[in-house]
PDB file of all heavy atoms in Angstrom:
ATOM      1  N   PRO A  21      26.397  33.150  -8.754  1.00 35.00           N
ATOM      2  CA  PRO A  21      27.266  34.066  -9.657  1.00 35.00           C
ATOM      3  C   PRO A  21      26.777  34.006 -11.056  1.00 35.00           C
ATOM      4  O   PRO A  21      26.149  33.194 -11.502  1.00 35.00           O
ATOM      5  CB  PRO A  21      28.676  33.434  -9.475  1.00 35.00           C
ATOM      6  CG  PRO A  21      28.539  32.580  -8.297  1.00 35.00           C
ATOM      7  CD  PRO A  21      27.100  32.145  -8.015  1.00 35.00           C
ATOM      8  N   ALA A  22      27.119  35.160 -11.792  1.00 33.00           N
ATOM      9  CA  ALA A  22      26.554  35.321 -13.134  1.00 33.00           C
ATOM     10  C   ALA A  22      26.951  34.045 -14.031  1.00 33.00           C
ATOM     11  O   ALA A  22      28.056  33.538 -13.976  1.00 33.00           O
ATOM     12  CB  ALA A  22      27.120  36.543 -13.790  1.00 33.00           C
ATOM     13  N   GLY A  23      25.943  33.528 -14.603  1.00 32.00           N
ATOM     14  CA  GLY A  23      26.200  32.335 -15.600  1.00 32.00           C
ATOM     15  C   GLY A  23      26.233  31.054 -14.864  1.00 32.00           C
ATOM     16  O   GLY A  23      26.183  30.060 -15.422  1.00 32.00           O
ATOM     17  N   ALA A  24      26.110  30.929 -13.446  1.00 37.00           N
ATOM     18  CA  ALA A  24      26.279  29.694 -12.661  1.00 37.00           C
ATOM     19  C   ALA A  24      24.893  29.064 -12.715  1.00 37.00           C
ATOM     20  O   ALA A  24      23.915  29.758 -12.356  1.00 37.00           O
ATOM     21  CB  ALA A  24      26.894  29.835 -11.214  1.00 37.00           C
ATOM     22  N   PRO A  25      24.777  27.870 -13.086  1.00 41.00           N
ATOM     23  CA  PRO A  25      23.435  27.181 -13.054  1.00 41.00           C
ATOM     24  C   PRO A  25      22.954  26.761 -11.695  1.00 41.00           C
ATOM     25  O   PRO A  25      21.741  26.429 -11.498  1.00 41.00           O
ATOM     26  CB  PRO A  25      23.638  25.984 -13.994  1.00 41.00           C
ATOM     27  CG  PRO A  25      25.141  25.627 -13.756  1.00 41.00           C
ATOM     28  CD  PRO A  25      25.818  26.825 -13.583  1.00 41.00           C
ATOM     29  N   GLY A  26      23.710  26.711 -10.776  1.00 58.00           N
ATOM     30  CA  GLY A  26      23.278  26.087  -9.426  1.00 58.00           C
ATOM     31  C   GLY A  26      23.628  24.747  -9.311  1.00 58.00           C
ATOM     32  O   GLY A  26      24.404  24.228 -10.151  1.00 58.00           O
ATOM     33  N   ASP A  27      23.369  24.037  -8.226  1.00 83.00           N
ATOM     34  CA  ASP A  27      23.727  22.676  -7.915  1.00 83.00           C
ATOM     35  C   ASP A  27      22.614  21.799  -8.352  1.00 83.00           C
ATOM     36  O   ASP A  27      21.777  21.411  -7.498  1.00 83.00           O
ATOM     37  CB  ASP A  27      24.107  22.603  -6.393  1.00 83.00           C
ATOM     38  CG  ASP A  27      24.792  21.370  -6.161  1.00 83.00           C
ATOM     39  OD1 ASP A  27      24.817  20.385  -7.074  1.00 83.00           O
ATOM     40  OD2 ASP A  27      25.274  21.128  -4.993  1.00 83.00           O
ATOM     41  N   PHE A  28      22.652  21.259  -9.584  1.00 89.00           N
ATOM     42  CA  PHE A  28      21.723  20.339  -9.979  1.00 89.00           C
ATOM     43  C   PHE A  28      21.931  18.933  -9.282  1.00 89.00           C
ATOM     44  O   PHE A  28      20.958  18.235  -9.089  1.00 89.00           O
ATOM     45  CB  PHE A  28      21.952  20.062 -11.626  1.00 89.00           C
ATOM     46  CG  PHE A  28      21.619  21.315 -12.384  1.00 89.00           C
ATOM     47  CD1 PHE A  28      22.656  21.969 -13.091  1.00 89.00           C
ATOM     48  CD2 PHE A  28      20.279  21.808 -12.460  1.00 89.00           C
ATOM     49  CE1 PHE A  28      22.188  23.076 -13.804  1.00 89.00           C
ATOM     50  CE2 PHE A  28      19.976  22.856 -13.219  1.00 89.00           C
ATOM     51  CZ  PHE A  28      20.993  23.527 -13.862  1.00 89.00           C
ATOM     52  N   VAL A  29      23.121  18.580  -8.967  1.00 89.00           N
ATOM     53  CA  VAL A  29      23.349  17.292  -8.340  1.00 89.00           C
ATOM     54  C   VAL A  29      22.601  17.235  -6.922  1.00 89.00           C
ATOM     55  O   VAL A  29      21.938  16.214  -6.535  1.00 89.00           O
ATOM     56  CB  VAL A  29      24.868  17.087  -8.013  1.00 89.00           C
ATOM     57  CG1 VAL A  29      25.150  15.806  -7.227  1.00 89.00           C
ATOM     58  CG2 VAL A  29      25.570  17.067  -9.386  1.00 89.00           C
ATOM     59  N   TYR A  30      22.651  18.408  -6.136  1.00 89.00           N
ATOM     60  CA  TYR A  30      21.950  18.396  -4.880  1.00 89.00           C
ATOM     61  C   TYR A  30      20.486  18.242  -5.100  1.00 89.00           C
ATOM     62  O   TYR A  30      19.811  17.489  -4.441  1.00 89.00           O
ATOM     63  CB  TYR A  30      22.170  19.733  -4.140  1.00 89.00           C
ATOM     64  CG  TYR A  30      21.473  19.822  -2.833  1.00 89.00           C
ATOM     65  CD1 TYR A  30      22.145  19.415  -1.748  1.00 89.00           C
ATOM     66  CD2 TYR A  30      20.273  20.413  -2.728  1.00 89.00           C
ATOM     67  CE1 TYR A  30      21.450  19.451  -0.495  1.00 89.00           C
ATOM     68  CE2 TYR A  30      19.516  20.477  -1.416  1.00 89.00           C
ATOM     69  CZ  TYR A  30      20.195  19.940  -0.407  1.00 89.00           C
ATOM     70  OH  TYR A  30      19.432  19.924   0.848  1.00 89.00           O
ATOM     71  N   ALA A  31      19.968  18.977  -6.069  1.00 90.00           N
ATOM     72  CA  ALA A  31      18.453  18.982  -6.253  1.00 90.00           C
ATOM     73  C   ALA A  31      18.080  17.458  -6.703  1.00 90.00           C
ATOM     74  O   ALA A  31      17.006  16.999  -6.266  1.00 90.00           O
ATOM     75  CB  ALA A  31      18.070  19.920  -7.324  1.00 90.00           C
ATOM     76  N   ALA A  32      18.906  16.879  -7.578  1.00 90.00           N
ATOM     77  CA  ALA A  32      18.496  15.451  -8.004  1.00 90.00           C
ATOM     78  C   ALA A  32      18.642  14.502  -6.855  1.00 90.00           C
ATOM     79  O   ALA A  32      17.708  13.630  -6.755  1.00 90.00           O
ATOM     80  CB  ALA A  32      19.410  15.042  -9.166  1.00 90.00           C
ATOM     81  N   GLU A  33      19.690  14.548  -6.126  1.00 90.00           N
ATOM     82  CA  GLU A  33      19.876  13.586  -5.025  1.00 90.00           C
ATOM     83  C   GLU A  33      18.787  13.789  -3.861  1.00 90.00           C
ATOM     84  O   GLU A  33      18.279  12.861  -3.321  1.00 90.00           O
ATOM     85  CB  GLU A  33      21.208  13.736  -4.415  1.00 90.00           C
ATOM     86  CG  GLU A  33      22.159  13.165  -5.339  1.00 90.00           C
ATOM     87  CD  GLU A  33      23.688  13.193  -4.825  1.00 90.00           C
ATOM     88  OE1 GLU A  33      23.797  13.708  -3.668  1.00 90.00           O
ATOM     89  OE2 GLU A  33      24.678  12.612  -5.468  1.00 90.00           O
ATOM     90  N   ALA A  34      18.382  15.036  -3.616  1.00 90.00           N
ATOM     91  CA  ALA A  34      17.299  15.333  -2.629  1.00 90.00           C
ATOM     92  C   ALA A  34      15.963  14.856  -3.102  1.00 90.00           C
ATOM     93  O   ALA A  34      15.099  14.604  -2.407  1.00 90.00           O
ATOM     94  CB  ALA A  34      17.334  16.861  -2.340  1.00 90.00           C
ATOM     95  N   THR A  35      15.808  14.867  -4.468  1.00 90.00           N
ATOM     96  CA  THR A  35      14.395  14.760  -5.000  1.00 90.00           C
ATOM     97  C   THR A  35      14.135  13.153  -5.221  1.00 90.00           C
ATOM     98  O   THR A  35      13.002  12.736  -4.973  1.00 90.00           O
ATOM     99  CB  THR A  35      14.387  15.529  -6.269  1.00 90.00           C
ATOM    100  OG1 THR A  35      14.502  16.856  -6.079  1.00 90.00           O
ATOM    101  CG2 THR A  35      12.967  15.201  -6.976  1.00 90.00           C
ATOM    102  N   THR A  36      15.008  12.470  -5.870  1.00 91.00           N
ATOM    103  CA  THR A  36      14.672  11.208  -6.454  1.00 91.00           C
ATOM    104  C   THR A  36      14.102  10.188  -5.258  1.00 91.00           C
ATOM    105  O   THR A  36      13.350   9.325  -5.798  1.00 91.00           O
ATOM    106  CB  THR A  36      15.901  10.444  -7.077  1.00 91.00           C
ATOM    107  OG1 THR A  36      17.061  10.640  -6.222  1.00 91.00           O
ATOM    108  CG2 THR A  36      16.102  11.314  -8.411  1.00 91.00           C
ATOM    109  N   PRO A  37      14.660  10.139  -4.041  1.00 93.00           N
ATOM    110  CA  PRO A  37      14.153   9.240  -3.105  1.00 93.00           C
ATOM    111  C   PRO A  37      12.517   9.369  -2.887  1.00 93.00           C
ATOM    112  O   PRO A  37      11.937   8.494  -2.465  1.00 93.00           O
ATOM    113  CB  PRO A  37      14.803   9.480  -1.899  1.00 93.00           C
ATOM    114  CG  PRO A  37      16.020  10.075  -2.289  1.00 93.00           C
ATOM    115  CD  PRO A  37      15.682  10.974  -3.463  1.00 93.00           C
ATOM    116  N   THR A  38      11.993  10.470  -3.096  1.00 93.00           N
ATOM    117  CA  THR A  38      10.494  10.780  -2.879  1.00 93.00           C
ATOM    118  C   THR A  38       9.705  10.566  -4.138  1.00 93.00           C
ATOM    119  O   THR A  38       8.419  10.747  -4.138  1.00 93.00           O
ATOM    120  CB  THR A  38      10.363  12.139  -2.482  1.00 93.00           C
ATOM    121  OG1 THR A  38      10.571  13.088  -3.406  1.00 93.00           O
ATOM    122  CG2 THR A  38      11.176  12.440  -1.070  1.00 93.00           C
ATOM    123  N   VAL A  39      10.313  10.186  -5.168  1.00 88.00           N
ATOM    124  CA  VAL A  39       9.627   9.880  -6.451  1.00 88.00           C
ATOM    125  C   VAL A  39       8.996   8.494  -6.429  1.00 88.00           C
ATOM    126  O   VAL A  39       9.715   7.657  -6.182  1.00 88.00           O
ATOM    127  CB  VAL A  39      10.573  10.153  -7.640  1.00 88.00           C
ATOM    128  CG1 VAL A  39       9.861   9.660  -8.884  1.00 88.00           C
ATOM    129  CG2 VAL A  39      10.871  11.559  -7.712  1.00 88.00           C
ATOM    130  N   VAL A  40       7.735   8.338  -7.021  1.00 93.00           N
ATOM    131  CA  VAL A  40       7.257   6.943  -7.160  1.00 93.00           C
ATOM    132  C   VAL A  40       6.783   6.799  -8.544  1.00 93.00           C
ATOM    133  O   VAL A  40       6.396   7.777  -9.203  1.00 93.00           O
ATOM    134  CB  VAL A  40       6.064   6.565  -6.259  1.00 93.00           C
ATOM    135  CG1 VAL A  40       6.634   6.754  -4.747  1.00 93.00           C
ATOM    136  CG2 VAL A  40       4.942   7.638  -6.415  1.00 93.00           C
ATOM    137  N   HIS A  41       6.690   5.520  -9.038  1.00 93.00           N
ATOM    138  CA  HIS A  41       6.080   5.146 -10.131  1.00 93.00           C
ATOM    139  C   HIS A  41       4.708   4.618  -9.880  1.00 93.00           C
ATOM    140  O   HIS A  41       4.520   3.781  -8.990  1.00 93.00           O
ATOM    141  CB  HIS A  41       6.938   4.117 -10.879  1.00 93.00           C
ATOM    142  CG  HIS A  41       6.411   3.559 -12.231  1.00 93.00           C
ATOM    143  ND1 HIS A  41       5.718   2.404 -12.260  1.00 93.00           N
ATOM    144  CD2 HIS A  41       6.561   4.104 -13.436  1.00 93.00           C
ATOM    145  CE1 HIS A  41       5.213   2.244 -13.606  1.00 93.00           C
ATOM    146  NE2 HIS A  41       5.751   3.237 -14.289  1.00 93.00           N
ATOM    147  N   ILE A  42       3.681   4.966 -10.782  1.00 93.00           N
ATOM    148  CA  ILE A  42       2.281   4.579 -10.399  1.00 93.00           C
ATOM    149  C   ILE A  42       1.890   3.669 -11.670  1.00 93.00           C
ATOM    150  O   ILE A  42       1.909   4.298 -12.734  1.00 93.00           O
ATOM    151  CB  ILE A  42       1.406   5.759 -10.233  1.00 93.00           C
ATOM    152  CG1 ILE A  42       1.838   6.517  -8.914  1.00 93.00           C
ATOM    153  CG2 ILE A  42      -0.059   5.289  -9.938  1.00 93.00           C
ATOM    154  CD1 ILE A  42       1.077   7.788  -8.635  1.00 93.00           C
ATOM    155  N   LYS A  43       1.387   2.593 -11.400  1.00 91.00           N
ATOM    156  CA  LYS A  43       0.765   1.689 -12.519  1.00 91.00           C
ATOM    157  C   LYS A  43      -0.680   1.560 -12.270  1.00 91.00           C
ATOM    158  O   LYS A  43      -1.077   1.175 -11.131  1.00 91.00           O
ATOM    159  CB  LYS A  43       1.508   0.426 -12.619  1.00 91.00           C
ATOM    160  CG  LYS A  43       0.970  -0.493 -13.716  1.00 91.00           C
ATOM    161  CD  LYS A  43       1.814  -1.837 -13.907  1.00 91.00           C
ATOM    162  CE  LYS A  43       1.190  -2.756 -12.799  1.00 91.00           C
ATOM    163  NZ  LYS A  43       1.902  -4.108 -13.080  1.00 91.00           N
ATOM    164  N   SER A  44      -1.484   2.021 -13.162  1.00 88.00           N
ATOM    165  CA  SER A  44      -3.011   1.830 -13.057  1.00 88.00           C
ATOM    166  C   SER A  44      -3.408   0.809 -13.968  1.00 88.00           C
ATOM    167  O   SER A  44      -3.159   0.751 -15.128  1.00 88.00           O
ATOM    168  CB  SER A  44      -3.623   3.189 -13.271  1.00 88.00           C
ATOM    169  OG  SER A  44      -3.397   3.576 -14.584  1.00 88.00           O
ATOM    170  N   THR A  45      -4.368  -0.041 -13.431  1.00 84.00           N
ATOM    171  CA  THR A  45      -5.018  -1.047 -14.213  1.00 84.00           C
ATOM    172  C   THR A  45      -6.510  -0.722 -14.340  1.00 84.00           C
ATOM    173  O   THR A  45      -7.165  -0.436 -13.343  1.00 84.00           O
ATOM    174  CB  THR A  45      -4.857  -2.439 -13.505  1.00 84.00           C
ATOM    175  OG1 THR A  45      -3.474  -2.657 -13.370  1.00 84.00           O
ATOM    176  CG2 THR A  45      -5.375  -3.529 -14.416  1.00 84.00           C
ATOM    177  N   MET A  46      -7.011  -0.782 -15.539  1.00 73.00           N
ATOM    178  CA  MET A  46      -8.322  -0.474 -15.832  1.00 73.00           C
ATOM    179  C   MET A  46      -8.968  -1.391 -16.829  1.00 73.00           C
ATOM    180  O   MET A  46      -8.244  -2.230 -17.465  1.00 73.00           O
ATOM    181  CB  MET A  46      -8.402   1.114 -16.268  1.00 73.00           C
ATOM    182  CG  MET A  46      -7.838   1.223 -17.612  1.00 73.00           C
ATOM    183  SD  MET A  46      -7.618   3.086 -18.102  1.00 73.00           S
ATOM    184  CE  MET A  46      -6.311   3.439 -16.922  1.00 73.00           C
ATOM    185  N   THR A  47     -10.214  -1.405 -16.969  1.00 61.00           N
ATOM    186  CA  THR A  47     -10.961  -2.133 -17.907  1.00 61.00           C
ATOM    187  C   THR A  47     -11.193  -1.249 -19.033  1.00 61.00           C
ATOM    188  O   THR A  47     -11.829  -0.245 -18.993  1.00 61.00           O
ATOM    189  CB  THR A  47     -12.180  -2.730 -17.452  1.00 61.00           C
ATOM    190  OG1 THR A  47     -11.949  -3.464 -16.356  1.00 61.00           O
ATOM    191  CG2 THR A  47     -12.978  -3.441 -18.554  1.00 61.00           C
ATOM    192  N   GLN A  48     -10.681  -1.775 -20.321  1.00 56.00           N
ATOM    193  CA  GLN A  48     -10.877  -0.911 -21.518  1.00 56.00           C
ATOM    194  C   GLN A  48     -11.816  -1.726 -22.415  1.00 56.00           C
ATOM    195  O   GLN A  48     -11.488  -2.904 -22.797  1.00 56.00           O
ATOM    196  CB  GLN A  48      -9.520  -0.682 -22.150  1.00 56.00           C
ATOM    197  CG  GLN A  48      -9.743   0.217 -23.465  1.00 56.00           C
ATOM    198  CD  GLN A  48     -10.119   1.661 -23.142  1.00 56.00           C
ATOM    199  OE1 GLN A  48      -9.706   2.145 -22.001  1.00 56.00           O
ATOM    200  NE2 GLN A  48     -10.517   2.424 -24.195  1.00 56.00           N
ATOM    201  N   THR A  49     -12.915  -1.080 -23.000  1.00 50.00           N
ATOM    202  CA  THR A  49     -13.728  -1.809 -23.956  1.00 50.00           C
ATOM    203  C   THR A  49     -13.376  -1.341 -25.298  1.00 50.00           C
ATOM    204  O   THR A  49     -13.380  -0.089 -25.657  1.00 50.00           O
ATOM    205  CB  THR A  49     -15.290  -1.429 -23.760  1.00 50.00           C
ATOM    206  OG1 THR A  49     -15.514  -1.721 -22.404  1.00 50.00           O
ATOM    207  CG2 THR A  49     -16.221  -2.098 -24.666  1.00 50.00           C
ATOM    208  N   ARG A  50     -13.024  -2.272 -26.128  1.00 47.00           N
ATOM    209  CA  ARG A  50     -12.654  -2.021 -27.580  1.00 47.00           C
ATOM    210  C   ARG A  50     -13.841  -2.160 -28.461  1.00 47.00           C
ATOM    211  O   ARG A  50     -14.323  -3.257 -28.607  1.00 47.00           O
ATOM    212  CB  ARG A  50     -11.581  -2.926 -27.979  1.00 47.00           C
ATOM    213  CG  ARG A  50     -11.037  -2.701 -29.448  1.00 47.00           C
ATOM    214  CD  ARG A  50     -10.298  -1.338 -29.500  1.00 47.00           C
ATOM    215  NE  ARG A  50      -9.853  -1.056 -30.923  1.00 47.00           N
ATOM    216  CZ  ARG A  50      -8.997  -0.085 -31.166  1.00 47.00           C
ATOM    217  NH1 ARG A  50      -8.512   0.782 -30.363  1.00 47.00           N
ATOM    218  NH2 ARG A  50      -8.799   0.150 -32.389  1.00 47.00           N
ATOM    219  N   GLY A  51     -14.432  -1.053 -28.937  1.00 45.00           N
ATOM    220  CA  GLY A  51     -15.563  -1.264 -29.869  1.00 45.00           C
ATOM    221  C   GLY A  51     -15.316  -1.211 -31.319  1.00 45.00           C
ATOM    222  O   GLY A  51     -14.146  -1.510 -31.723  1.00 45.00           O
ATOM    223  N   SER A  52     -16.379  -1.147 -32.052  1.00 40.00           N
ATOM    224  CA  SER A  52     -16.223  -1.231 -33.572  1.00 40.00           C
ATOM    225  C   SER A  52     -16.034   0.110 -34.262  1.00 40.00           C
ATOM    226  O   SER A  52     -16.704   0.480 -35.260  1.00 40.00           O
ATOM    227  CB  SER A  52     -17.407  -2.016 -34.115  1.00 40.00           C
ATOM    228  OG  SER A  52     -18.604  -1.219 -33.730  1.00 40.00           O
ATOM    229  N   GLY A  53     -15.156   0.980 -33.633  1.00 40.00           N
ATOM    230  CA  GLY A  53     -14.841   2.271 -34.328  1.00 40.00           C
ATOM    231  C   GLY A  53     -15.081   3.398 -33.436  1.00 40.00           C
ATOM    232  O   GLY A  53     -14.238   4.292 -33.487  1.00 40.00           O
TER     233      GLY A  53
END
């Protein structure tokens, strides 16, 4: 309907279980500039 944003709650609840956090570990060389 005009002006209705849709169902954000449904989208959020359907989406969040498939979301993952990724932590990457790397070697970083700190040089002199």
Side-chain angles (χ1 to χ4, degrees):
D27 193 345
F28 294 112
V29 175
Y30 180 90
E33 291 185 351
T35 298
T36 50
T38 67
V39 170
V40 302
H41 178 267
I42 300 173
K43 183 177 75 174
S44 62
T45 303
M46 63 193 74
T47 298
Q48 181 72 23
T49 303
R50 181 74 183 186
S52 56

